[in-house]
Amino acid sequence: MLTLVFPWLLLLLPLPLLIKPAQRQTQGGFLHLPGSGDLTTKINMSTPKARNMLKWLMWALLVLAVARPQWLGEPIELPTKGRDLMVAVDLSGSMQIEDMVLDNKTVDRFTLVQHVVSDFIERRAGDRIGLILFGDHAYLQSPMTLDRRSVAQYLREAQIGLVGKQTAIGESIALAVKRFENLEESNRVLVLLTDGTNNAGNIAPDNAAAIAAERKVTIYTIGVGADVMERRSFFGRDRVNPSMDLDEAQLQRIANTTQGKYFRARSSEDLAAIYQEIDKLEPVSRDTQSFRPKQELFFYPLALALLLSLLAALREGGLGAPGRIAP
């Protein structure tokens, strides 16, 4: 956004109207300047109207320069000593099971997670947010940042199977704990969302949870998936449990070890309510500060005014006519 530090100085614009111009003296003889004919021909200020317009333009540029125009960038939130929150999302193959409903349409689990969790991330104004995606292994998609909109966008752009088809729960916890180690003391929170059991990675979830507890990391675990789903078979429609691979006992132990809480999300309403509950358990940090970067622009009108004054000096002070200089 363009702004002026001293906008009231624009009141000086009509000041020249209050000053009576001095009588111009008749110039004497002229001295020929070889090669100057083309220059003075191009700079046509021979009429009083053109000269006055040029003077007014220079004056306006000078007034604008002293008013200090600035360009203000978008507000940037400054890091504060508050809550650091990491979100770990399962991208294993089972997340493509279509047993969830969103806006009266049947969708897969990950589509629902993208919708609800992205909204949760964007609401956490004042917290530093990070994103971990895990499958065969855990990967840091976004480090801790106050730019929560970018983190939410990274989640919306993720794809099932991007990091493998299996589920490395323990590795995702260990990666989050490691990232917390690089930050200052704060309320460290990990929200881990999965629909299966740990079957990949090089660290057991219980061991990772114990390390997290030592590092004072609170883990909220969320098990995703419906209890019943109908599917067609050769004999008609069968009712099956699509969440039979979900290890709720393990997720409960992880939460209890770190003084967190386990939640079960069987529908879009459940998942939305869970994140509202997490908002209550871990309130958003409110002691945030922000600043708007400023870029000074005064030198642009100042430089242009100087250039015009030099051209005017060449024409009126030195060049009285094509090819001649006043003595």
Side-chain angles (χ1 to χ4, degrees):
M1 181 180 68
L2 187 63
T3 185
L4 297 175
V5 178
F6 308 114
W8 55 270
L9 288 177
L10 296 181
L11 297 175
L12 297 176
L13 284 173
L15 183 62
L17 295 176
L18 306 178
I19 301 176
K20 183 177 180 181
Q23 295 295 326
R24 183 183 177 90
Q25 295 182 353
T26 304
Q27 295 181 347
F30 295 95
L31 176 66
H32 178 70
L33 178 63
S36 63
D38 293 339
L39 176 63
T40 54
T41 300
K42 294 177 182 178
I43 306 173
N44 183 13
M45 294 183 293
S46 57
T47 65
K49 183 178 180 180
R51 289 195 296 268
N52 288 335
M53 289 181 61
L54 181 61
K55 292 176 182 178
W56 273 106
L57 178 58
M58 288 188 294
W59 173 251
L61 290 171
L62 289 174
V63 172
L64 180 61
V66 297
R68 282 188 62 188
Q70 293 179 338
W71 180 263
L72 294 181
E74 292 297 322
I76 298 178
E77 295 173 337
L78 296 174
T80 56
K81 197 171 183 179
R83 186 169 283 99
D84 296 320
L85 190 149
M86 186 72 76
V87 179
V89 178
D90 186 352
L91 289 186
S92 61
S94 57
M95 289 293 285
Q96 62 187 349
I97 296 176
E98 296 183 355
D99 62 346
M100 310 300 280
V101 177
L102 178 64
D103 297 332
N104 297 321
K105 295 181 181 179
T106 301
V107 297
D108 60 69
R109 296 168 177 176
F110 184 60
T111 297
L112 177 65
V113 168
Q114 286 177 307
H115 178 78
V116 178
V117 179
S118 296
D119 180 66
F120 168 76
I121 291 173
E122 292 194 4
R123 290 201 314 268
R124 302 294 298 190
D127 287 352
R128 288 183 290 194
I129 307 289
L131 177 64
I132 291 175
L133 303 177
F134 62 95
D136 294 347
H137 296 283
Y139 297 91
L140 181 67
Q141 184 68 12
S142 172
M144 292 289 183
T145 177
L146 289 168
D147 186 5
R148 60 191 185 281
R149 293 183 180 86
S150 294
V151 178
Q153 184 62 30
Y154 293 147
L155 178 58
R156 285 190 287 264
E157 293 174 352
Q159 300 291 327
I160 296 175
L162 181 65
V163 290
K165 298 293 185 178
Q166 300 188 75
T167 309
I169 296 176
E171 195 170 296
S172 66
I173 296 174
L175 178 57
V177 172
K178 181 179 180 181
R179 300 306 302 183
F180 285 131
E181 286 295 314
N182 299 327
L183 301 173
E184 297 178 357
E185 289 295 326
S186 65
N187 293 339
R188 303 173 178 186
V189 179
L190 169 63
V191 178
L192 187 146
L193 190 147
T194 183
D195 68 342
T197 184
N198 186 81
N199 55 15
N202 51 19
I203 183 171
D206 291 333
N207 294 339
I211 296 173
E214 292 177 2
R215 304 294 194 277
K216 298 182 179 180
V217 176
T218 302
I219 303 178
Y220 295 99
T221 54
I222 303 174
V224 180
D227 288 334
V228 178
M229 182 179 70
E230 290 188 354
R231 68 179 182 182
R232 291 183 179 181
S233 68
F234 181 77
F235 300 101
R237 301 184 69 89
D238 295 333
R239 293 170 64 87
V240 299
N241 179 10
S243 300
M244 59 185 305
D245 293 332
L246 178 63
D247 192 344
E248 293 191 74
Q250 185 178 74
L251 296 178
Q252 183 74 62
R253 288 196 307 271
I254 293 172
N256 291 342
T257 301
T258 60
Q259 304 301 311
K261 191 173 182 180
Y262 169 66
F263 300 93
R264 182 73 169 89
R266 298 176 176 86
S267 64
S268 59
E269 292 77 14
D270 286 347
L271 190 57
I274 287 169
Y275 279 104
Q276 290 178 2
E277 181 67 17
I278 292 176
D279 279 336
K280 296 177 182 178
L281 294 171
E282 301 291 343
V284 175
S285 302
R286 296 300 182 187
D287 56 340
T288 59
Q289 297 179 354
S290 64
F291 81 101
R292 302 187 70 171
K294 299 177 182 179
Q295 181 182 359
E296 294 286 351
L297 302 176
F298 70 90
F299 48 84
Y300 288 112
L302 185 61
L304 184 56
L306 178 60
L307 178 61
L308 292 177
S309 65
L310 290 176
L311 293 176
L314 286 174
R315 179 61 180 86
E316 295 196 9
L319 301 178
R324 296 182 294 173
I325 292 181

